[in-house]
Amino acid sequence: MGVHRIHRDEGPEQRRLVGAIGISLGLALFGPRLIRTVGSEITELDRSHAFCIALAAALTVIVASQLGLPVSSTHVALGGIFGVGFLREYLDQRMARTVENVLHSHQGDEHIAEVERVLHTFVNAGAEAKRQMRHSSTSRCAG
């Protein structure tokens, strides 16, 4: 009668393989729908926001794994998406307060229509257009 020894290293490796296959299969089958739902119904994501979320999620999972902390990459990514949504809301509110303050400080000014037009243009402009507007205003002030 021989003694059969179980190697402790065989079980965890097989479980990792099954887990990796399950995650890959789930992502392949349901990933596009999940991304579409999260990216449009929770908060609007553009390419730069999506890249930042993916990079932050990957770094968070890597660091947590190195520290031996059990984390879910899905939960980390969803946390990043909610974080981007909260930041967008905060920045929108801050912009609205700033516009109100500028309009209030120009109340009764003879050029109020021009101030309103510039503010409206700035608020509705894209990032590159805002950068150009800011650059042109600083060069006018310096010159």
Side-chain angles (χ1 to χ4, degrees):
M1 219 154 108
V3 176
H4 180 68
R5 294 187 180 184
I6 298 175
H7 296 286
R8 292 183 178 249
D9 295 335
E10 289 176 9
E13 198 61 38
Q14 290 172 346
R15 282 180 269 179
R16 285 186 192 133
L17 180 63
V18 169
I21 291 170
I23 289 171
S24 299
L25 187 61
L27 185 59
L29 293 174
F30 302 108
R33 181 172 177 227
L34 175 68
I35 290 168
R36 197 170 28 259
T37 300
V38 168
S40 64
E41 293 180 20
I42 293 176
T43 186
E44 262 322 296
L45 294 179
D46 59 12
R47 289 181 185 190
S48 63
H49 291 135
F51 175 77
C52 290
I53 290 167
L55 182 63
L59 291 174
T60 301
V61 169
I62 289 170
V63 169
S65 296
Q66 291 298 317
L67 294 174
L69 301 171
V71 294
S72 165
S73 57
T74 304
H75 289 123
V76 170
L78 282 173
I81 290 167
F82 278 103
V84 166
F86 290 144
L87 177 64
R88 179 178 296 144
E89 290 296 319
Y90 168 76
L91 293 176
D92 287 347
Q93 289 175 359
R94 186 171 170 198
M95 177 64 83
R97 278 195 312 268
T98 302
V99 167
E100 285 179 22
N101 290 340
V102 170
L103 289 174
H104 181 71
S105 67
H106 285 280
Q107 200 66 27
D109 191 349
E110 63 187 56
H111 302 291
I112 189 71
E114 180 68 14
V115 171
E116 287 175 344
R117 185 189 65 76
V118 169
L119 285 173
H120 179 74
T121 303
F122 184 78
V123 167
N124 295 318
E128 186 58 36
K130 286 180 181 177
R131 208 172 293 117
Q132 289 175 353
M133 291 171 77
R134 217 175 59 208
H135 177 70
S136 67
S137 69
T138 57
S139 63
R140 263 187 287 161
C141 292

